[in-house]
Amino acid sequence: MMSTTVSLQQKVLSENDRRAADIRRTLAEKRIFAINLVSSPGSGKTRLLERTLVALKDSLRMSVIVGDVQTENDADRLKRAGGRAVHPIVTGGACHLDATMVARALEHVNLDRVDVLFIENVGNLVCPASYDLGEDLKAVLISTTEGDDKPLKYPAMFRRSSIMILNKIDLLGMSDFDLDRVKANALRINGRLEIFDVSSTRGDGLEAWYRWLSGRVRAKRDG
Amino acid sequence: MMSTTVSLQQKVLSENDRRAADIRRTLAEKRIFAINLVSSPGSGKTRLLERTLVALKDSLRMSVIVGDVQTENDADRLKRAGGRAVHPIVTGGACHLDATMVARALEHVNLDRVDVLFIENVGNLVCPASYDLGEDLKAVLISTTEGDDKPLKYPAMFRRSSIMILNKIDLLGMSDFDLDRVKANALRINGRLEIFDVSSTRGDGLEAWYRWLSGRVRAKRDG
């Protein structure tokens, strides 16, 4: 039975990979830069997106797909933040988004009017690592209240991400979380990680994130 | 193929339930009280256990099974805190503990010398909700830095838990997290939740948790 489980999982994954490749092709044609945002519950994905939607609304056309196990709370928050195109996916128990869910949500997006697509994944530092959604890259968030050993304990997510956003740096000093140690741990898992220190509530570091994002979007649009 | 997936998952779960029932029977015979600790990564399960191991070491014989995707960091921390019987399970990618893993770990525990068994699950607010480990009850931790809507967004875990430990109350006021709101949200999902407000670093509320735990252990031992 174990072998059946494994081969079935492989089948599910390769089906997912096929659909992810379709999404990636479509996004390439439309020159849309797509980021898959992953983290534990409560690391601040939604807050970061709220700030980003407000700050860049005049320079980028942004669309968001938001996954949650239950509720459309995050989608509602992002709409209130001025998100012009926010598409909730309620997974109804599933612990991750898959490419089929994203493809279905994308049917409601006018891709001719989008520069950047944010995919806010379900809050889960394990399962979403295994599902390609057709994105350009994964961005893993980790907050300073979670403990600086997380990259070592959940290595797949940090290995498959291209950038790490260290959020809630306004709370540094409130615990024994060590900024240098978390970075060293993350770089041990993935030496090519690009790292941003931010506070999505206080605003620290957000300019660097906006600049990086705008640069990547422009590169894909003009490339 | 969807139906194959579903029936296979049901098979896996009922196999898990059978093994969990075996564990539960053994723990009942030995009069061991068992708690399955679940939460997001970084909510403070290990810190709470460290404090508990130190505080109750003269009155309770405690054993801990610690699950992590990678590393034995948490197990090492708990051993340093004086845990006499700490048994790491490295799931190697799996997003939850299952009853088979726990049964295998229990083979190394001298059950005649244990009053309480803590099972520290993988940090994941979704998947561990589906796996009975033979415990007396699940305790869900949530920290004040994670956002007060988590019970609504991850309802299965809060529905299947008997107690909710609100950790990091020393960080209240650092964000817009509202203690009354998180409790109202949790009780909407599960009206029978017993709730503890604690700070595992500063110590607030721990006495109430120790008293409750000791009472439950005694009830099972003497019952």
Side-chain angles (χ1 to χ4, degrees):
Chain A
M1 186 166 140
M2 208 40 176
S3 65
T4 319
T5 311
V6 169
S7 77
L8 188 68
Q9 203 195 354
Q10 282 170 343
K11 224 166 161 179
V12 171
L13 280 181
S14 67
E15 170 67 17
N16 185 79
D17 286 347
R18 258 194 309 280
R19 284 172 185 271
D22 289 343
I23 294 173
R24 189 166 282 114
R25 204 172 309 118
T26 304
L27 296 177
E29 272 167 29
K30 301 291 185 183
R31 300 179 177 237
I32 297 169
F33 182 66
I35 300 191
N36 181 357
L37 286 156
V38 292
S39 80
S40 302
S43 299
K45 298 183 291 305
T46 311
R47 186 68 58 99
L48 179 70
L49 286 179
E50 284 175 325
R51 298 283 301 236
T52 306
L53 290 175
V54 170
L56 301 182
K57 67 178 187 302
D58 294 329
S59 59
L60 294 179
R61 296 171 302 175
M62 297 173 278
S63 188
V64 194
I65 292 175
V66 194
D68 255 313
V69 176
Q70 283 300 340
T71 81
E72 298 187 1
N73 288 5
D74 290 352
D76 292 342
R77 284 173 57 189
L78 292 167
K79 282 175 192 164
R80 280 197 298 274
R84 280 187 290 191
V86 177
H87 305 274
I89 300 176
V90 175
T91 68
C95 51
H96 60 271
L97 291 180
D98 65 33
T100 304
M101 300 175 194
V102 172
R104 211 173 293 142
L106 280 177
E107 288 172 11
H108 303 284
V109 180
N110 181 350
L111 296 177
D112 290 321
R113 303 174 66 90
V114 175
D115 300 312
V116 56
L117 174 69
F118 298 108
I119 305 170
E120 183 182 338
N121 218 312
V122 173
N124 182 334
L125 212 43
V126 189
C127 314
S130 304
Y131 291 83
D132 183 6
L133 304 179
E135 70 272 359
D136 286 273
L137 55 84
K138 286 188 179 64
V140 60
L141 271 79
I142 171 171
S143 73
T144 61
T145 51
E146 290 170 47
D148 49 33
D149 61 345
K150 291 301 167 286
L152 303 179
K153 292 171 70 180
Y154 304 87
M157 197 63 101
F158 291 83
R159 197 172 296 126
R160 290 175 193 157
S161 293
S162 304
I163 71 173
M164 173 170 85
I165 299 176
L166 260 164
N167 194 20
K168 308 192 190 177
I169 60 164
D170 54 308
L171 298 182
L172 275 173
M174 303 299 293
S175 67
D176 55 6
F177 186 97
D178 184 315
L179 209 55
D180 292 333
R181 197 159 50 213
V182 74
K183 290 178 187 181
N185 286 338
L187 292 169
R188 256 171 75 186
I189 300 295
N190 177 355
R192 292 157 309 153
L193 267 179
E194 204 156 344
I195 302 176
F196 294 88
D197 300 352
V198 312
S199 162
S200 293
T201 54
R202 209 172 53 187
D204 317 41
L206 290 178
E207 283 303 328
W209 153 251
Y210 299 150
R211 259 199 315 277
W212 174 88
L213 178 66
S214 303
R216 291 297 300 255
V217 171
R218 223 176 300 119
K220 183 139 182 192
R221 199 172 49 197
D222 304 340
Chain B
M1 186 167 140
M2 208 41 176
S3 65
T4 319
T5 311
V6 169
S7 77
L8 188 69
Q9 204 195 355
Q10 281 169 343
K11 223 164 161 181
V12 171
L13 280 181
S14 67
E15 170 66 18
N16 185 79
D17 286 347
R18 259 195 308 279
R19 284 173 185 271
D22 289 344
I23 295 173
R24 189 166 283 116
R25 204 171 309 118
T26 303
L27 297 176
E29 271 167 30
K30 301 291 185 183
R31 301 181 176 234
I32 296 169
F33 182 66
I35 300 191
N36 181 356
L37 286 156
V38 292
S39 81
S40 302
S43 299
K45 298 183 291 305
T46 311
R47 186 67 59 101
L48 179 70
L49 286 179
E50 285 176 324
R51 298 283 303 234
T52 306
L53 290 175
V54 169
L56 301 182
K57 69 177 186 302
D58 294 329
S59 59
L60 294 180
R61 295 172 303 175
M62 297 173 277
S63 187
V64 193
I65 291 175
V66 194
D68 255 313
V69 175
Q70 283 300 341
T71 82
E72 297 187 1
N73 288 5
D74 289 352
D76 293 342
R77 285 173 57 191
L78 292 167
K79 282 175 192 164
R80 280 196 299 274
R84 280 188 290 191
V86 177
H87 305 274
I89 299 176
V90 176
T91 68
C95 50
H96 59 271
L97 292 179
D98 65 33
T100 304
M101 300 176 195
V102 172
R104 212 174 291 142
L106 280 177
E107 289 171 10
H108 303 284
V109 180
N110 181 351
L111 297 177
D112 290 322
R113 302 174 66 88
V114 175
D115 299 313
V116 56
L117 174 69
F118 298 109
I119 305 169
E120 183 182 337
N121 218 312
V122 173
N124 182 334
L125 213 43
V126 189
C127 314
S130 304
Y131 290 83
D132 183 7
L133 304 178
E135 71 272 359
D136 286 273
L137 55 84
K138 286 188 178 63
V140 60
L141 270 78
I142 171 170
S143 73
T144 61
T145 51
E146 290 170 47
D148 49 34
D149 61 345
K150 292 301 167 286
L152 303 180
K153 293 171 71 180
Y154 303 88
M157 197 63 101
F158 290 83
R159 197 172 297 126
R160 289 175 192 155
S161 293
S162 304
I163 70 172
M164 174 170 84
I165 299 176
L166 260 164
N167 195 19
K168 308 192 190 177
I169 61 164
D170 53 308
L171 298 181
L172 275 174
M174 303 300 292
S175 67
D176 55 5
F177 186 97
D178 185 314
L179 209 55
D180 292 333
R181 197 159 51 213
V182 75
K183 290 178 187 180
N185 285 339
L187 292 170
R188 256 171 76 187
I189 300 295
N190 177 356
R192 293 158 310 154
L193 267 179
E194 204 157 343
I195 302 176
F196 294 88
D197 300 352
V198 311
S199 162
S200 293
T201 55
R202 209 171 53 186
D204 318 41
L206 290 179
E207 283 304 327
W209 154 250
Y210 299 150
R211 258 199 316 276
W212 174 89
L213 178 66
S214 302
R216 291 298 299 255
V217 172
R218 223 175 300 119
K220 183 139 183 194
R221 198 172 49 195
D222 304 340

